[in-house]
Amino acid sequence: MSDITLIINGKKVVVAKGEVENVLAEFDVDEIAELLQFRYATPWNHGKDILEKLLYILEDISYLYSKNPDMKKEDVIRDVKLRIHANINK
């Protein structure tokens, strides 16, 4: 098993080896959208829009668990769908 970790950090995916402090690279939404475009023939603007929305959802999930690590998955899904306690720092 690899000790490479992918971390969602704001609008970036951070690649770290071992400890989180050992960052190897950061890929922003534009770069990931470009990879999506070339690999799956997805129009750049459509891919970027989907990725931005995905990152917002992942950010909300992270925010909710950071506030209450004991939340049930079902409650997190409900809160994200209804934008309850959404991270307002977007």
Side-chain angles (χ1 to χ4, degrees), residues 39-50:
R39 182 152 183 174
Y40 297 107
T42 302
W44 180 87
N45 59 342
H46 183 68
K48 183 177 178 188
D49 183 54
I50 290 169

Side-chain angles (χ1 to χ4, degrees), residues 39-83:
R39 182 152 183 174
Y40 297 107
T42 302
W44 180 87
N45 59 342
H46 183 68
K48 183 177 178 188
D49 183 54
I50 290 169
L51 290 169
E52 285 178 331
K53 290 174 182 174
L54 173 62
L55 290 174
Y56 286 143
I57 289 169
L58 294 174
E59 188 176 47
D60 285 345
I61 292 169
S62 174
Y63 177 79
L64 288 165
Y65 276 115
S66 73
K67 293 296 177 189
N68 182 2
D70 297 324
M71 281 188 83
K72 293 181 182 176
K73 180 175 141 181
E74 296 80 15
D75 294 334
V76 171
I77 291 171
R78 180 201 67 226
D79 287 3
V80 170
K81 283 182 178 178
L82 300 176
R83 301 190 75 162

Side-chain angles (χ1 to χ4, degrees), residues 7-65:
I7 303 151
I8 306 299
N9 182 6
K11 288 189 177 185
K12 297 178 189 170
V13 174
V14 178
V15 182
K17 180 172 175 62
E19 298 298 318
V20 176
E21 293 81 25
N22 190 15
V23 174
L24 301 176
E26 292 184 4
F27 297 87
D28 64 22
V29 172
D30 290 335
E31 292 165 326
I32 296 171
E34 182 180 352
L35 293 171
L36 183 66
Q37 173 191 13
F38 281 94
R39 182 152 183 174
Y40 297 107
T42 302
W44 180 87
N45 59 342
H46 183 68
K48 183 177 178 188
D49 183 54
I50 290 169
L51 290 169
E52 285 178 331
K53 290 174 182 174
L54 173 62
L55 290 174
Y56 286 143
I57 289 169
L58 294 174
E59 188 176 47
D60 285 345
I61 292 169
S62 174
Y63 177 79
L64 288 165
Y65 276 115

